[in-house]
Amino acid sequence: MKISVVLKNGIDDIAFNLGTKSQRRITLDVAEQVAEAAREMAPVDTGRLRGSIVVEANGNNHAVVTDVPYAPFLEFGTSQMPAQPFLGPAAANVRLSRFDLEKTLR
């Protein structure tokens, strides 16, 4: 099982208007920021989950993914265990400013 976060908060619209190369650069930069934040927020026992959080290319976009089988149980919780979300909050906490976009496009 694979769990992933795909960003859909207008970044695609901005990047699309700048062209394919810029779109790839922007989505890669954002995805790397989300992956870094998710690694910091991931609950750690053995470090397997933290080490499995990577960025994957998906056409002109990028996704932050983990293939650890228990990741969805940690992210969303179960009837026996409360959620310990790490991917969703990481994506929600990444903020892009105009300065960040300009820096990425240089």
Side-chain angles (χ1 to χ4, degrees):
M1 175 181 279
K2 184 182 272 188
I3 184 172
S4 66
V5 171
V6 179
L7 304 171
K8 295 289 184 187
N9 61 354
I11 294 167
D12 285 344
D13 295 337
I14 294 167
F16 180 77
N17 291 327
L18 296 171
T20 302
K21 185 176 179 182
S22 295
Q23 181 180 7
R24 283 192 206 118
R25 288 171 59 193
I26 291 169
T27 59
L28 176 60
D29 185 56
V30 171
E32 287 174 346
Q33 290 179 47
V34 171
E36 183 178 332
R39 285 185 208 105
E40 291 174 8
M41 299 175 80
V44 178
D45 186 18
T46 65
R48 181 177 174 204
L49 175 62
R50 182 174 280 173
S52 75
I53 299 169
V54 296
V55 174
E56 285 185 355
N58 182 6
N60 289 333
N61 295 306
H62 294 82
V64 179
V65 302
T66 177
D67 61 357
V68 173
Y70 53 83
F73 303 123
L74 290 171
E75 182 74 15
F76 303 112
T78 68
S79 62
Q80 304 289 315
M81 177 184 79
Q84 299 176 62
F86 56 97
L87 278 175
N93 288 335
V94 170
R95 300 280 186 252
L96 280 184
S97 68
R98 181 183 174 126
F99 172 77
D100 293 330
L101 289 173
E102 290 173 354
K103 188 173 79 173
T104 298
L105 295 173
R106 285 189 199 146

